[in-house]
């Protein structure tokens, strides 16, 4: 406060200021803070990274002895071979649940306390496998009033396919086509 200088914009390369993620997971497409984790959506994998916690480690890597002042801690992957592809716009969240698509695999997914669930398997597996891969854009939203994840699938005009919105209802756990535009 005395010098009118705060150094908040300085990043010293000699200090460990980065977190390496396995490059086979593809590029990071979306970050979402869910205490105490930073949920990291890569093209081919979803990870949770401990954030803003001092973690104690011993020399063998077990959490016990030596204190770490890192802002980001361990990166662990969720079960399953899923990512968000290159469609972070398909992401939506509600309370403890997040929703997203994996266009490359033709899946619509929910991430909650029990891990990743393929909600596209609830009666519309073939529909999503065929349509997600050819979609130009996938836009996700969550309707709090109806408790529905809405996924709008937009196609290129040359495909002669109709843009569609599909809703997955958390109460009924059934996806349904709600509009064609």
């Amino acid at each position: 406060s005395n010098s009118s200088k705060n150094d908040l914009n300085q990043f010293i390369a000699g200090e460990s200021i980065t977190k390496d993620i396995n490059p086979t997971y593809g590029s990071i497409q979306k970050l979402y803070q869910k205490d105490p984790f930073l949920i990291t959506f890569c093209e081919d994998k979803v990870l949770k990274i401990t954030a803003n916690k001092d973690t104690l480690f011993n020399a063998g890597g077990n959490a016990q002895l030596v204190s770490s002042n890192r802002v980001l801690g361990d990166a662990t992957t969720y079960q399953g071979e899923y990512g968000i592809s290159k469609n972070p716009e398909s992401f939506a969240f509600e309370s403890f649940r997040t929703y997203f698509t994996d266009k490359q695999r033709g899946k619509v997914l929910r991430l909650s306390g029990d891990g990743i669930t393929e909600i596209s398997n609830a009666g519309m597996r073939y529909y999503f496998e065929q349509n997600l891969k050819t979609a130009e854009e996938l836009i996700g939203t969550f309707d709090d009033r109806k408790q529905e994840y809405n996924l709008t699938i937009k196609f290129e005009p040359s495909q002669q396919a109709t843009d569609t919105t599909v809703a997955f209802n958390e109460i009924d756990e059934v996806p349904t086509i709600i509009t064609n535009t």
Side-chain angles (χ1 to χ4, degrees):
S1 63
N2 294 339
S3 67
S4 297
K5 184 177 176 186
N6 66 14
D7 293 330
L8 289 176
N9 62 343
Q10 288 189 350
F11 297 98
I12 301 168
E15 295 177 2
S16 179
I17 60 170
T18 61
K19 183 75 179 170
D20 292 328
I21 301 295
N22 189 334
T24 61
Y25 301 154
S27 64
I28 295 172
Q29 294 291 311
K30 174 80 177 159
L31 297 172
Y32 177 68
Q33 177 66 38
K34 187 175 178 183
D35 287 334
F37 300 106
L38 180 64
I39 308 300
T40 307
F41 295 87
C42 299
E43 290 177 57
D44 296 313
K45 202 66 162 167
V46 180
L47 304 100
K48 63 180 174 181
I49 302 172
T50 306
N52 294 326
K53 296 285 182 183
D54 285 338
T55 307
L56 299 177
F57 292 95
N58 67 14
N62 296 327
Q64 291 172 4
L65 299 174
V66 179
S67 178
S68 169
N69 63 357
R70 296 181 189 174
V71 174
L72 299 177
D74 286 341
T76 57
T77 61
Y78 283 97
Q79 287 289 84
E81 297 299 318
Y82 307 110
I84 199 166
S85 298
K86 291 191 175 184
N87 302 95
E89 67 278 5
S90 69
F91 176 87
F93 69 93
E94 182 276 327
S95 185
F96 60 91
R97 294 180 214 118
T98 60
Y99 303 87
F100 60 100
T101 62
D102 188 337
K103 181 178 180 176
Q104 294 180 79
R105 292 165 185 84
K107 305 288 183 185
V108 180
L109 305 157
R110 174 183 60 208
L111 173 62
S112 61
D114 59 349
I116 297 176
T117 304
E118 291 182 32
I119 60 176
S120 54
N121 281 351
M124 294 186 73
R125 181 178 179 181
Y126 181 77
Y127 175 85
F128 286 118
E129 285 176 355
Q130 298 302 306
N131 289 296
L132 292 188
K133 293 177 183 179
T134 60
E136 179 182 24
E137 194 173 9
L138 302 168
I139 302 170
T141 59
F142 192 85
D143 184 335
D144 289 328
R145 189 175 55 82
K146 294 180 179 180
Q147 293 295 295
E148 292 179 338
Y149 170 63
N150 298 314
L151 177 64
T152 300
I153 304 168
K154 295 189 173 206
F155 298 95
E156 292 181 26
S158 62
Q159 289 180 298
Q160 297 183 6
T162 305
D163 293 350
T164 304
T165 300
V166 180
F168 175 79
N169 187 292
E170 273 301 327
I171 297 165
D172 300 331
E173 293 193 353
V174 176
T176 55
I177 296 175
I178 57 173
T179 59
N180 287 327
T181 55

